[in-house]
Each structure stands twice: as C-alpha cells, then as structure tokens.
C-alpha cells in the first residue's frame, strides 16, 4: 500500500559539476572568455565596457549613450540596423549598469558573422543622430513620468538616498531636469571615452566553435588599443544615518510600498557568503520566515522578500513588500518581531536542512544551460573574483552552523540600525 | 525537433516525456484544463484564487513548499483565462518528490479554513498591487467587457471585482476542485535527463491510484459576431494618454492563426517593424506602440496598444495608426519583410529549446491544443504563410464594426 504521508527518498548533491569559462586574448589584448555548453546552434555574446552610470555626472548620459548604440552608424541608419538584425532572427539587448554597460547579441551560429559585423559598427562607428536622440529622450521621459507614479519607485529612490547618503553616487537617480540637459556632444564624448576597446571584455556562451574566436578577432582584434589612465576620483564613502519613519505621500495609492534596511557589505567581504545564506532563512525564498508570517499567515501582502545586494564599492540590505494600506504598520511590526526572533534563537535543524537543500538546488540551477553559466561567470568578473567563490558558497551551504547564522544575524540584522521608508496615500 | 513519448494512464492522465540529457535539472509541468472562462459570472477570479489554495496543503502533505525546498526544488504556477499551469524544477535525482507532491494535491486538498482566509487576503493584495495600484492597471478590466458580450473572456483572470474573491466560501472551493481537478483533466510533462520507463513506473505508482472524475463537457457561449464599433473614454490619474484598439479574430486552432500572428509581427515585432518605424521613430506620434494577439484559445483578440507622445491628439494618433492598417489591407507586404518575421520565429524557436522548463510547458500546452507534436510543425506552418494571406487576414479582421477602442486619458 502506498504511504502518501511518507516523503520519498531524496538526495542532495555532494558536488556540483559545471562548465567553466576559458580565457583567451584577441590579437590586441582584448580579453575573450568563452563558455562552451548546450546543444542548440546558437550563442550569446556579451560586449562589456566599463561605461556605467557612475562615469557621468548626469546619470542619463551613460544610459542614453548605450541605448543609442543601435540608432545609427556612419553608414547604417537605425532602420537599416534593425532591418538586418531582425532579418537574421538575431536579438540585441542594451544594458547600462552602475559600473559597466554592454551590448548583448543573441544569434544563431549560422548568422554569426553577419550580425557581429553590425555590432562592430555600433561599437566603433555610432553617430548619435539628433532626431533619433530627441525621440528616444521624449519617449524615455514619458516612461519616467509613469514610473514616478508608482509608490514602489518612490520608496526605492528614497531608500537609496537614505542608505548611501543623498550625495553618494549610488543614490543618484534620474530626475526630470536631467532630460533637458542631454545633448549630442555629451553622448559622443562619453562614447569616445568609455566605449573604447581598452575597456572591453567579450564573453561568448552557447555552442562556441573555434571559428567564433577568429571572427571576433577579425573585427575587434586588429585595432591597436591604447590604455588610457582616466580613473575617476569618485568618493565612495557612505554616510548612513538610520531613520525609522520616512513617509512619502502618494495620493490615492491603495497599497503601501515598504522598504526596510540599511548599509551593508558586498561580495568582496569575507562575511558576504554567510550573510547571503543567512538571509535566505529570513526572506530569501518562498518558504522564508517573512513570507511564512506576513503573507502565508497574515495575508498582508502578495509578496515580501529580503536581500543583501552587492554593489562594487558597497552593499545594502533590504526588506521589501507592497502591503494593504491599512496594515502596513502591522507588517512593519511583524518584520521587526521576526528580526528579533532570528537574532535571539537558533534555527532548528529541520529549517537548516531545508535551506541547505534548497540553496544547493538553486546553485545547481544557476549553472544550468549556457546562458545561466554566462551570468554566473559575469557575477564573478565584475568583482574580480574567481570560481573559488562558488566553492566557498557551496561549502558554506553545506557546513554553516546554527550558531554562525545567529552570529551573522546579530552582526548585520539589527532593527535599531535599520531605516524604514513607506510610500502610500495618507 | 523536440522528441517525446506520450502515454495515458487508465484514469485518463496524459503524460509526455521529453529526454534532454544536457541538464542536471528536471522539470515537471502539470496543466489543468481549467481557467477563468470556466467560472460562473457571479464568482469570477476563482480559478486564480484556487491556484493559490493549491499551495495551502494537500490531504497527506501539510506543507507543499517546505518539502519541495528540502528536495532542492522550486515551483510556481500561473492561471489565465484558459488554463491553470503548475510547474516544478528540481535536481533529477529527486524527481520522485515531484510525483509525490503533485499526485497528492491532485488526489485531494486539505481544505483548511485558515488557508482560504489567508489566500483570500493575499489575492486581494495581488489585485490591488497589479490592477489598482499600478498605472494603467485596470485597462483589461475595462476592455474585456467592452469587447466580449457573451464569452466568459469578458472578465479578467483576477476577477471582475474584489467582492467575488471576498465572498468565496469553502463549499465553492470544494465544488471547484472536484469539478475541474482530475487526472482526466490534466496533462503532465516531464522534461530532463529521464527515461520514459522510469517515468511510467512513477506515474503509475503515484498518479495511477487517483480515480477518474466526472468532468462535464465544457459548453461556453460562442461570442456573437460584432456588428458595430464600440468605444469607451476614461480619465485616470496617469501622466500619459494611452490608446487601445482590439479586433476579434479566430480561435487558436483555426488555420488562419499563423498568418494572423505574422500580421502582428510585420506590424510590431522588432525595431524594424512598421508601426515602430513609422509611428514611433519617424513621426513620433506614439512613444510606444504594439500589435499583438492576446493568445487565448477560443475567440481571440488582435490588440493595438500605444502611449501617445506629448502634444499629440487622439484624432491624429488614431488616424495615422489607421493609415498603416489601411495600407496593409490595400497592398501586399514585401516578400523580404515577411521572410524577416518568419526568420525571427524560427530563431525564437531554437532559443526556446535551450530551456527544459520552457519545453515542458510548451509540450503540455500543445497537447491541450490537440497534439504535443504541433510544436515540431510550427516553423513549417509559419513558413507556408504567403504575402497574400497577410493581406486577406488584414481585410477580414480590420473592419470598423469589428473594433473596440479605449481612450485612456490622463487627467490634467
């Protein structure tokens, strides 16, 4: 007779095998990383530049320069670029980060050379036509206005200011006046300075063939690159003062957006992995304590999570939820209760085992398939870390003790030092 | 080419197995053939509320998530107007945990009052977060009942109004379960490094004992042909004027589907598409404009949705959009233009194959449409569409009397 109450046997991986990135250099020294995995005849190619938002006083410039890369080159109009990329069934995505920006090309292998030729022009011969720039900025401004209506956006913007200090570069948000201050020359200057091949890394993932290197080398490896010494003197000193009741009014909002948190550590800190595992218990997965209490027991929210977010020069800890307008204070009280319990009592073995197994499964998933492998690798590259980071992570998952979790919680998760920001109608 | 095996248990559960030996992860997808369209008009939002309750403990297993997480797995689910779809990914060694969990909640739920009470509040918060507190969140609450008069697509998955969710009682929940949740109303797909024989053994072991249930044949009212144009103007506290126009089109299984889908692609898929090129880039009448199919299984809708650029009137915006529509009705699209959107579809198809969960979901879905093998013929079907088909479809659907328009105005 089948016993449905009995859990079937399950295993947890003792070792996780995955394909690692290999490194080569193009003829001119541009680093070329490749991850050969997957069966489908396709690749994703990341062209990463140190051209993030921190490099421009007006944060919109980095973003606009990046977004305009497919809007016209010396000999191709925006429409022609779109036409060619679309015709080969390829896809280009443009991303701006705080420190890095990039172009990602997804293409079938059979069309690789034709599509790379276009990306080469984008990265080498972009002209930033005025009409396209104006249209882009106008459209972005509309999106900006829509975003500004969201309580979540209001709370998040304020949260960054509170955590890093309002002058800090990580707190700088795009504001209305920035849209009026972007001109073509700034984009051209930013492009020339930061989309410079000396600041480029290339990562190819998918079914990588040897001729892929040759093609990339043909386009990107021939030009002599000049290393420029233009490191910016950015002051990353943070200025955090806890503030427990910041309220941002948003007229007619039927829900409150809550952010609770503080300044924290980043990936380069020796406690980071432990804190990351510790956070999982609190609010890092669906079965977390915050979810169990505030969603599954009280029904105050559709979702609540917590995370320790790493930035290159700092880090932050955040607990976030959208709750019913009438219950947000109760939700905050419950969060504080959970923090206190977490710091003062040891996690039981059953919960410890569950989180260990869950994280082991998650880690295995993060190496599943070429694109996941590529993301995992990129998360190391930015911080100048190597694959031992994942070995350490895996060992921490396997071996962390209840006492260590409590100690980490006591060190990093204190409600007295946290700020609380709420955006809602009065 | 996605190879698979297919078998049916005695209780009617359809099982599809796809072997992909390149991944340590296995995906289990269970599609239940029940969606918001199966709700009664005075108890809408129920299929979706029910999806939440499926995580509130089953007859033998009080905590679904906990045990799955112990086995290193994760899961989620979604509901739409047609189906309710549940999925799990976990390390392949632990696949039996997925069979155990899913079979138990197909057998019966715990039906606790606490779970109902909590999930009612959670869903109400979801309603507010996604439909009331978000700019333009209520668009489909407005558009659906305007475009549909009879078919239950006239209400959104989340429900017509919050009170329907507030009023849900345990008896409703139980009735809904036994009416729709059954092995003979579900399609399960397992994808990953698995063998069909092993899957068969596990399926027989865990799902085999569940009895077949009496599933009533679905009798939904057919949407009558629309005879006159509908429109509605609303004012909301949003920063930008938005515009929506929808047209009735054939059901998903109609042979015209492929040409209709490509018609929407020619108009708006990618930066080189007509609407983006003409109306966003060249004239900047819209800051964004899209044309797409809702993707419903029964009588579907073709949708135009756009945000107007600042200073552009609704009259101008609509006139210029309609000019593009008239153009595609009057003149054949270019051969190369059509080839381009076909290439995009082929490429997307290859990219979709990199993900084991994606494949599992798709196989279940196409089996529901009639045969999982449809997935392997899609590219061929799209290829067969001719430029004349695009023109024919455009003329068939883009008529004034077949249109419903929503002017969603920013309050000044």
């Amino acid at each position: 007779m089948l016993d449905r109450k009995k859990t079937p046997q399950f295993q947890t991986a003792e070792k996780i095998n995955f394909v690692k990135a290999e490194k080569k250099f193009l003829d001119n020294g541009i680093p070329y990383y490749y991850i050969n995995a997957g069966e489908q005849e396709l690749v994703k190619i990341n062209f990463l530049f140190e051209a993030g938002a921190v490099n421009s006083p007006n944060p919109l410039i980095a973003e606009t320069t990046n977004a305009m890369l497919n809007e016209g080159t010396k000999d191709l109009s925006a429409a022609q670029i779109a036409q060619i990329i679309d015709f080969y069934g390829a896809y280009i995505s443009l991303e701006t980060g705080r420190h890095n920006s990039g172009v990602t090309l997804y293409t079938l292998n059979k069309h690789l050379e034709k599509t790379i030729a276009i990306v080469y022009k984008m990265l080498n011969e972009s002209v930033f036509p005025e009409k396209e720039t104006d249209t882009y900025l106008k459209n972005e401004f509309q999106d900006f206005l829509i975003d500004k209506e969201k309580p979540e956006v209001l709370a998040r913007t304020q949260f960054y200011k509170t955590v890093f200090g309002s002058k800090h570069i990580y707190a700088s948000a795009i504001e209305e006046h920035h849209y009026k201050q972007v001109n073509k020359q700034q984009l051209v200057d930013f492009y020339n300075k930061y989309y410079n091949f000396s600041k480029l890394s290339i990562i190819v993932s998918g079914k990588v063939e040897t001729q892929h290197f040759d093609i990339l080398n043909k386009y990107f490896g021939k030009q002599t690159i000049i290393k420029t010494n233009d490191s910016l003197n950015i002051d990353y000193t943070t200025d955090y003062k806890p503030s427990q009741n910041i309220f941002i009014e948003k007229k007619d909002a039927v829900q409150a957006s809550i952010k609770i948190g503080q300044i924290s550590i980043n990936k380069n800190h020796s406690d980071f992995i432990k804190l990351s595992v510790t956070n999982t218990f609190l609010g890092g997965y669906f079965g977390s304590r915050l979810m169990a209490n505030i969603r599954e027991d009280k029904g105050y929210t559709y979702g609540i999570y917590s995370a320790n977010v790493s930035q290159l020069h700092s880090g932050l800890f955040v607990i976030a939820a959208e709750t019913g307008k009438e219950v947000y204070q109760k939700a905050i009280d419950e969060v504080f209760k959970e923090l206190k319990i977490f710091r003062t009592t040891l996690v039981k073995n059953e919960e410890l085992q569950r989180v260990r197994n869950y994280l082991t499964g998650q880690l295995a998933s993060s190496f599943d398939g070429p694109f996941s492998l590529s993301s995992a690798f990129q998360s190391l590259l930015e911080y100048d870390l190597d694959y031992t980071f994942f070995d350490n992570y895996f060992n921490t998952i396997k071996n962390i003790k209840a006492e260590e979790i409590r100690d980490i919680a006591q060190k990093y998760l204190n409600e007295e030092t946290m700020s609380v920001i709420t955006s809602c109608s009065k | 080419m996605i190879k698979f095996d297919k078998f049916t248990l005695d209780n009617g559960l359809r099982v599809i197995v796809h072997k992909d030996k390149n991944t340590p992860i296995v995906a289990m997808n269970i599609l239940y053939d029940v969606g918001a369209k199966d709700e009664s008009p005075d108890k809408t939002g129920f299929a979706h509320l029910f999806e939440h309750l499926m995580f509130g403990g089953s007859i033998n297993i009080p905590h679904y998530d906990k045990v799955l997480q112990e086995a290193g797995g994760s899961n989620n689910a979604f509901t739409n107007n047609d189906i309710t779809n549940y999925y799990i990914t976990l390390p392949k060694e632990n696949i039996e945990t997925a069979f155990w969990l899913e079979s138990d909640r197909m057998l019966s739920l715990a039906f606790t009052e606490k779970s109902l009470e909590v999930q009612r509040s959670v869903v109400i918060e979801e309603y507010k977060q996604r439909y009331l507190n978000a700019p333009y969140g209520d668009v489909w609450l407005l558009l659906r009942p305007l475009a549909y008069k009879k078919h239950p697509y006239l209400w959104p998955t989340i429900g017509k109004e919050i009170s329907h969710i507030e009023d849900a009682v345990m008896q409703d929940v139980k009735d809904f379960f036994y009416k729709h949740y059954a092995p003979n109303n579900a399609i399960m797909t397992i994808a990953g490094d698995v063998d069909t024989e092993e899957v068969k053994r596990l399926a027989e072991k865990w799902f085999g004992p569940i009895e077949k249930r009496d599933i009533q044949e679905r009798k939904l009212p057919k949407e009558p042909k629309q005879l006159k144009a509908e429109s509605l103007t609303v004012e909301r506290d949003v920063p930008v004027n938005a515009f929506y126009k929808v047209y009735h089109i054939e059901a998903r299984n109609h042979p015209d589907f492929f040409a209709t889908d490509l018609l929407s692609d020619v108009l708006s898929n990618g930066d080189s598409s007509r609407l983006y090129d003409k109306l966003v880039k060249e004239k900047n009448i819209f800051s964004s404009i899209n044309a797409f199919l809702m993707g419903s299984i029964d009588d579907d809708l073709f949708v135009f949705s756009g945000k107007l650029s600042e200073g552009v009137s609704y009259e101008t915006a609509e006139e210029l959009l309609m000019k593009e529509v008239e153009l595609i009705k009057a003149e054949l699209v270019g051969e190369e233009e059509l080839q381009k959107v076909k290439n995009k579809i082929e490429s997307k198809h290859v990219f979709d194959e990199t993900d084991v969960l994606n494949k599992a979901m798709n196989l279940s879905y196409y089996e529901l449409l009639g045969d999982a093998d449809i997935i392997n013929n899609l590219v061929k079907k799209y290829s067969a569409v001719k430029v004349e088909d695009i023109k024919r479809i455009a003329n068939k659907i883009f008529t004034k009397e077949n249109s419903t328009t929503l002017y969603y105005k920013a309050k000044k």
Side-chain angles (χ1 to χ4, degrees):
Chain A
M1 181 67 191
L2 188 60
D3 183 359
R4 288 191 180 270
K5 296 208 188 289
K6 196 164 162 271
T7 314
Q9 282 280 319
F10 59 81
Q11 308 166 21
T12 41
E14 289 311 313
K15 196 173 177 329
I16 295 176
N17 295 312
F18 60 93
V19 182
K20 295 186 169 124
E22 308 273 346
K23 184 176 186 181
K24 284 165 92 166
F25 292 96
L26 302 187
D27 289 351
N28 56 2
I30 291 176
Y32 169 88
Y33 302 92
Y34 63 100
I35 299 162
N36 188 10
E39 286 295 298
Q40 284 69 34
E41 296 284 338
L42 50 85
V43 285
K44 166 173 121 169
I45 309 180
N46 295 84
F47 298 86
L48 282 180
F49 291 85
E50 295 162 40
V54 298
N55 297 302
S56 73
N58 173 349
L60 199 53
I61 292 185
E63 197 180 302
T64 309
T65 307
N66 182 260
M68 294 297 297
L69 291 174
N70 59 355
E71 295 284 349
T73 68
K74 241 167 34 190
D75 52 7
L76 291 176
S77 68
Q80 284 169 318
I81 293 173
Q83 176 68 29
I84 298 167
I85 292 297
D86 280 349
F87 189 81
Y88 291 112
Y91 182 72
I92 283 178
S93 94
L94 300 164
E95 297 117 16
T96 313
R98 285 193 195 285
H99 296 277
N100 294 302
S101 293
V103 174
T104 307
L105 170 70
Y106 297 83
T107 180
L108 297 179
N109 284 353
K110 61 180 176 185
H111 300 312
L112 182 93
E113 179 148 15
K114 302 215 170 58
T115 49
I116 281 183
I118 301 296
V119 175
Y120 174 75
K121 283 175 191 287
M122 288 165 50
L123 294 176
N124 216 35
E125 300 170 0
S126 271
V127 292
F128 306 92
E130 255 147 41
K131 181 170 182 293
E132 269 78 5
T133 310
D134 286 349
T135 306
Y136 170 79
L137 286 169
K138 264 170 73 181
N139 295 346
E140 284 298 298
F141 184 60
Q142 286 214 345
D143 287 348
F144 167 82
L145 291 178
I146 294 168
D147 259 359
K148 239 178 43 169
E149 295 295 312
K150 299 173 184 163
E152 198 278 329
V153 174
L154 298 175
R156 178 162 23 106
T157 310
Q158 179 57 49
F159 183 69
Y160 274 81
K161 288 192 199 302
T162 305
V163 165
F164 295 114
S166 56
K167 298 255 180 324
H168 197 279
I169 192 117
Y170 288 162
S172 85
I174 291 171
E175 287 166 30
E176 203 159 331
H177 64 90
H178 288 130
Y179 288 90
K180 312 269 180 291
Q181 294 163 353
V182 178
N183 63 49
K184 178 179 170 154
Q185 196 53 46
Q186 290 169 312
L187 302 181
V188 172
D189 291 347
F190 191 87
Y191 179 68
N192 289 335
K193 192 163 172 189
Y194 293 103
Y195 285 85
N196 181 307
F197 285 3
S198 71
K199 298 181 189 304
L200 170 64
S201 304
I202 298 174
I203 307 167
V204 187
S205 54
K207 199 158 188 184
V208 186
E209 317 273 352
T210 42
Q211 70 263 28
H212 291 176
F213 176 85
D214 302 332
I215 296 170
L216 281 155
N217 196 34
K218 180 174 131 191
Y219 285 92
F220 291 89
K222 302 301 172 195
Q223 196 171 319
T224 314
I225 58 174
I226 304 140
K227 288 268 178 206
T228 48
N229 190 8
D230 52 16
S231 58
L232 292 162
N233 281 319
I234 298 171
D235 183 6
Y236 288 104
T237 322
T238 54
D239 175 26
Y240 174 63
K241 291 184 204 71
S243 175
Q244 293 218 328
N245 44 22
I246 299 179
F247 183 89
I248 305 156
E249 186 181 355
K250 174 69 190 80
K251 214 168 69 89
D252 299 332
V254 297
Q255 272 190 321
S257 179
I258 308 169
K259 308 276 171 197
I260 302 170
Q262 65 173 83
I263 193 91
S264 187
I265 55 173
N266 75 357
K267 267 190 199 167
N268 294 109
H269 193 287
S270 59
D271 280 343
F272 179 81
I273 291 174
K274 276 187 190 162
L275 176 54
S276 177
V277 172
T278 298
N279 173 64
T280 310
F281 292 81
L282 181 69
Y285 72 127
F286 195 88
S288 71
R289 292 174 174 211
L290 292 176
M291 278 293 265
N293 179 348
I294 292 152
R295 171 176 149 138
E296 293 298 304
D297 187 58
K298 309 286 189 314
Y300 291 159
T301 181
Y302 178 49
I304 181 163
Y305 74 92
S306 66
N308 192 78
V309 183
S310 183
Q311 307 282 350
L312 193 54
H313 295 279
S314 187
L316 65 85
F317 178 81
V318 64
I319 300 169
E322 318 295 300
T323 73
K325 182 179 139 181
E326 311 75 24
V327 294
Y328 78 81
Q329 193 52 51
K330 285 187 188 159
I332 294 169
D333 294 344
E334 290 299 325
V335 167
F336 281 5
K337 266 189 222 164
E338 289 296 338
L339 281 169
K340 191 163 178 200
I341 296 169
F342 195 39
R343 276 198 321 273
T344 49
T345 49
L346 291 173
V347 300
K348 297 236 165 49
N349 199 42
E350 187 211 333
E351 189 183 3
L352 181 57
Q353 209 50 51
R354 183 167 70 241
V355 169
R356 276 187 181 149
N357 295 351
Y358 170 73
L359 286 176
T360 306
Q362 287 307 106
L363 191 61
S365 304
S366 66
F367 302 131
D368 183 27
F371 302 156
S372 304
L373 287 164
S374 173
S375 305
F377 174 65
Q378 273 186 64
S379 72
L380 300 177
L381 193 63
E382 190 177 3
Y383 289 84
D384 213 9
L385 294 163
D386 60 32
Y387 280 109
T388 56
F389 178 86
F390 291 123
D391 297 336
N392 293 338
Y393 189 71
F394 186 66
N395 289 333
T396 307
I397 294 171
K398 288 280 162 198
N399 299 313
I400 195 164
K401 306 240 168 349
E403 291 78 12
E404 292 176 273
I405 292 164
R406 183 200 53 203
D407 293 350
I408 287 285
Q410 288 180 355
K411 194 166 167 189
Y412 294 102
L413 307 176
N414 293 289
E415 60 269 22
E416 298 83 49
T417 56
M418 287 193 195
S419 295
V420 179
I421 288 132
T422 312
S423 176
C424 185
S425 56
K426 277 205 170 127
Chain B
M1 176 77 184
I2 300 175
K3 287 189 192 148
F4 60 89
D5 292 320
K6 192 157 93 175
F7 58 90
T8 306
L9 300 186
D10 290 344
N11 58 16
L13 177 67
R14 286 174 274 176
V15 185
I16 297 165
V17 187
H18 165 63
K19 190 174 177 67
D20 178 346
K21 58 180 176 30
N22 293 299
T23 167
I25 302 295
V26 56
M28 174 189 273
N29 188 80
I30 300 191
L31 180 157
Y32 287 94
D33 188 4
V34 56
K37 69 182 174 190
D38 298 304
E39 295 160 350
S40 71
D42 56 346
K43 285 178 184 170
T44 66
F46 227 83
H48 169 253
L49 172 65
F50 200 85
E51 174 213 312
H52 279 246
L53 295 170
M54 283 284 277
F55 295 90
S58 55
I59 187 82
N60 295 296
I61 310 170
H63 300 290
Y64 176 95
D65 282 296
K66 273 191 186 164
V67 283
L68 179 61
Q69 284 147 5
E70 271 160 20
S74 44
N75 69 280
N76 214 330
F78 66 82
T79 310
N80 63 31
N81 290 66
D82 294 310
I83 61 171
T84 313
N85 192 73
Y86 299 84
Y87 52 93
I88 290 180
T89 52
L90 78 177
K92 67 178 179 196
E93 297 77 18
N94 299 343
I95 186 174
E96 188 156 4
T97 303
F99 280 87
W100 172 58
L101 282 166
E102 290 300 339
S103 64
D104 201 51
R105 62 181 185 178
M106 185 183 284
L107 180 68
S108 180
L109 294 186
F111 298 117
T112 65
E113 282 294 343
K114 167 84 182 170
S115 167
L116 176 59
E117 186 193 320
V118 168
Q119 292 310 321
R120 260 194 315 242
S121 324
V122 170
V123 170
I124 289 168
E125 290 311 319
E126 181 181 1
Y127 200 117
K128 291 184 200 161
Q129 184 172 329
R130 295 169 60 171
Y131 300 87
L132 304 180
N133 216 31
Y136 311 98
D138 63 344
V139 162
W140 291 100
L141 293 168
L142 299 165
L143 254 177
R144 282 183 176 274
L146 204 60
Y148 290 104
K149 299 300 172 207
K150 289 274 189 287
H151 193 284
Y153 285 160
L154 72 89
W155 58 81
T157 310
I158 194 74
K160 271 183 203 169
E161 47 192 282
I162 287 183
S163 68
H164 287 190
I165 297 154
E166 284 168 339
D167 295 343
V169 295
M170 188 53 84
Q171 195 53 49
D172 299 333
V173 172
K174 287 189 178 164
D175 292 347
F176 196 87
F177 182 81
Y178 290 107
K179 210 169 149 188
H180 299 293
Y181 280 73
N184 44 321
N185 206 34
I187 300 163
M188 174 164 80
T189 302
I190 314 293
D193 192 3
V194 290
D195 290 314
T196 302
E197 284 314 306
E198 177 64 1
V199 171
K200 226 176 228 171
R201 186 185 72 79
L202 290 169
E204 289 288 359
K205 176 178 172 185
W206 292 103
F207 288 91
I210 303 172
E211 277 180 35
K212 194 177 234 178
R213 288 178 190 137
D214 179 25
I215 301 295
Q216 300 292 314
E217 201 192 328
R218 185 181 268 141
K219 287 190 194 108
L220 299 179
K222 174 111 182 95
E223 183 63 23
K225 191 174 160 56
Q226 187 177 344
L227 297 173
K228 79 178 209 330
E230 296 272 359
S231 81
L232 175 71
T233 303
V234 295
E235 273 199 356
R236 292 285 188 273
D237 196 8
V238 292
V240 174
N241 286 331
F243 173 83
Y244 301 83
K245 197 185 262 294
V246 304
Y247 296 89
H248 287 278
I249 56 173
E250 301 285 356
R252 174 63 184 79
N253 269 338
H254 191 282
D256 279 351
F257 167 80
F258 298 94
T260 315
D261 199 28
L262 289 173
L263 168 63
S264 76
D265 285 350
V266 168
L267 288 169
S268 115
N269 185 359
D271 286 358
S272 72
S273 62
R274 288 187 175 199
L275 299 184
Y276 183 76
D277 188 45
K278 282 271 162 18
L279 304 180
V280 177
K281 295 304 292 290
E282 196 186 311
K283 304 205 170 84
N284 200 221
I285 295 300
F286 289 94
S287 65
S288 68
I289 179 94
N290 283 298
F292 58 92
L293 278 51
M294 284 295 273
S296 301
I297 292 179
D298 304 339
D299 315 317
D300 201 16
L301 294 177
F302 190 107
V303 183
F304 289 102
S305 89
K307 301 242 158 52
L308 275 62
S309 295
E310 209 194 321
V312 175
S313 70
Y314 272 110
E315 292 70 34
T316 312
E318 190 168 4
E319 187 195 320
L320 289 175
L321 174 62
M322 286 303 109
K323 224 173 113 182
E324 289 302 319
V325 168
E326 289 307 321
L327 185 67
I328 211 163
K329 284 164 76 175
E331 288 174 26
L332 291 173
V333 299
E335 291 285 353
E336 191 175 325
E337 192 179 12
L338 182 60
Q339 191 57 47
K340 177 190 75 186
V341 290
K342 287 179 182 174
N343 290 349
K344 276 182 90 93
I345 292 216
E346 187 189 348
S347 169
K348 183 177 176 303
H349 196 71
V350 182
F351 274 91
D352 277 352
E353 281 189 34
T354 58
D355 186 67
V356 73
L357 175 60
N358 214 336
K359 286 190 278 191
M361 282 185 185
N362 283 334
L363 286 165
S364 283
Y365 177 73
Y366 287 110
E367 180 64 21
L368 177 73
L369 288 187
D371 182 358
D373 202 40
I374 294 173
I375 198 168
N376 291 316
N377 297 312
L378 288 175
V379 170
K380 212 161 64 193
K381 291 261 175 69
Y382 280 109
S383 295
V385 173
K386 299 193 172 56
V387 290
E388 292 79 10
D389 296 321
I390 302 288
K391 187 175 164 186
R392 175 178 62 81
I393 299 290
N395 280 285
K396 181 172 152 191
I397 64 178
F398 296 142
T399 64
K400 191 161 187 348
E401 58 275 15
N402 190 33
S403 73
T404 302
T405 313
L406 174 64
Y407 304 94
Y408 197 104
K409 278 188 171 166
K411 212 181 267 174
K412 289 289 174 211

